């Protein structure tokens, strides 16, 4: 069973930092793309950062230079995907989700869980 469990969100002031974690299981991470999405109130879900199966990273323009995605392979069964978020802005406030799928993440195969709430106060 594919599982992706997000954590690490919270309340932070403008300019602060947070690190989100996503523990994955049920699939071979190295075979797929994986990324972090977010949905702000009243907006569509958007992809903010992704890692392709060859290790390339890609970021939305709105987070480029501030967010960093990375992965750690702990064993064959579970892996962790991190999103380091620095210089946070109020417009980064959203529920953050991770998911996996094709390289560009135009198709994902995980369920959209509860995500983790990030709130940036001004």
């Amino acid at each position: 069973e594919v599982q992706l469990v997000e954590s690490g969100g919270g309340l932070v002031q403008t300019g602060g930092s947070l690190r989100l974690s996503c523990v994955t299981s049920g699939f071979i991470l190295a075979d797929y793309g994986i990324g972090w999405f977010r949905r702000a109130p009243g907006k569509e879900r958007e992809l903010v950062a992704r890692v392709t199966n060859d290790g390339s990273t890609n970021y939305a323009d709105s987070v480029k230079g501030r967010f960093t995605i990375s992965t750690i392979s702990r064993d064959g069964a579970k892996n962790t995907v991190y999103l380091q978020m620095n210089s946070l802005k109020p417009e980064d406030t959203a529920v953050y989700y991770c998911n996996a799928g094709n390289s560009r993440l135009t198709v994902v195969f995980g369920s959209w869980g509860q995500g983790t709430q990030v709130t940036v106060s001004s």
Side-chain angles (χ1 to χ4, degrees), residues 4-7 20-24 34 36 79-82 98:
L4 304 109
V5 181
E6 306 97 342
S7 64
L20 306 184
S21 300
C22 172
V23 177
T24 74
I34 191 161
W36 283 93
N79 299 275
T80 303
V81 184
Y82 296 103
C98 67

Side-chain angles (χ1 to χ4, degrees), residues 1 15 22 26-27 58 61 69 73 75 79 81 86 93 100 114:
E1 179 188 2
C22 172
F27 63 101
N58 185 271
D61 288 343
I69 187 170
S73 176
D75 56 37
N79 299 275
V81 184
N86 299 327
T93 294
Q114 300 215 349

Side-chain angles (χ1 to χ4, degrees), residues 1 3 5 8 19 32 34 37 40 47-48 53 63 89-90 100 110 115 120 122:
E1 179 188 2
Q3 289 191 326
V5 181
R19 188 177 77 162
Y32 299 97
I34 191 161
F37 299 75
L47 176 64
V48 296
N53 57 348
V63 307
K89 305 175 181 180
V120 184
S122 57

Side-chain angles (χ1 to χ4, degrees), residues 15-91:
S17 299
L18 283 173
R19 188 177 77 162
L20 306 184
S21 300
C22 172
V23 177
T24 74
S25 60
F27 63 101
I28 299 173
L29 181 59
D31 290 345
Y32 299 97
I34 191 161
W36 283 93
F37 299 75
R38 69 185 181 188
R39 175 173 279 170
K43 295 188 177 181
E44 297 286 325
R45 183 182 287 124
E46 64 170 338
L47 176 64
V48 296
R50 63 182 171 95
V51 180
T52 66
N53 57 348
D54 66 1
S56 301
T57 58
N58 185 271
Y59 299 90
D61 288 343
S62 59
V63 307
K64 204 171 290 184
R66 300 187 297 120
F67 289 12
T68 303
I69 187 170
S70 60
T71 63
I72 291 181
S73 176
R74 299 191 178 280
D75 56 37
K78 289 190 175 182
N79 299 275
T80 303
V81 184
Y82 296 103
L83 185 67
Q84 178 67 44
M85 305 186 297
N86 299 327
S87 302
L88 282 162
K89 305 175 181 180
E91 51 264 45

